[in-house]
Amino acid sequence: QVQLVESGGGLVQAGESLRLSCVASGSIFSINFMNWYRQAPGKQREWVAVITRGGGTNYADSVKGRFTISRDNKNVVYLQMNSLKPEDTAVYYCNADLGHLGHRWGQGTQVTVSS
């Protein structure tokens, strides 16, 4: 089993930055990709960014150039969010893609951006 715990959310003003962290524990060797998703009030959960086991990254168009996904050499994945906008307000979730074993989700961390 894999467990994920997010942290780093908060309330910021437009234009400011936040860094989210996701700590993975358990059978982390089974993780293929790590993703960040977000869900705004009244909207569907949307994919934000991915980092592969080999370090490749990709981003949703809405955050490209502002957000950066990275990881340490152990078990932490980060989402650096710069130039935040009110439309970035959402609960942000860490997600582990375990291939045929499915997915695991964290509990989410709230990010609120005021205008």
Side-chain angles (χ1 to χ4, degrees):
Q1 287 287 350
V2 171
Q3 295 80 41
L4 304 174
V5 178
E6 303 99 331
S7 62
L11 171 63
V12 297
Q13 293 188 332
E16 294 184 340
S17 299
L18 276 176
R19 188 176 80 159
L20 306 183
S21 300
C22 173
V23 179
S25 60
S27 304
I28 60 174
F29 59 86
S30 61
I31 298 174
N32 294 323
F33 305 92
M34 290 293 294
N35 298 279
W36 284 98
Y37 283 77
R38 67 185 181 185
Q39 188 166 17
K43 295 188 176 181
Q44 290 189 330
R45 192 171 297 189
E46 66 171 352
W47 172 76
V48 174
V50 63
I51 187 164
T52 69
R53 185 179 291 181
T57 60
N58 200 9
Y59 301 90
D61 287 343
S62 59
V63 307
K64 201 170 291 184
R66 300 188 298 121
F67 290 12
T68 303
I69 188 171
S70 63
R71 64 181 188 200
D72 68 1
N73 59 359
K74 292 184 179 180
N75 62 333
V76 185
V77 174
Y78 304 98
L79 186 68
Q80 177 67 42
M81 306 186 295
N82 298 330
S83 303
L84 282 162
K85 305 175 182 180
E87 51 263 44
D88 295 318
T89 295
V91 178
Y92 284 71
Y93 296 91
C94 184
N95 166 275
D97 184 316
L98 308 178
H100 70 281
L101 297 176
H103 291 257
R104 296 292 182 270
W105 295 90
Q107 82 288 352
T109 186
Q110 176 71 48
V111 171
T112 304
V113 185
S114 64
S115 57

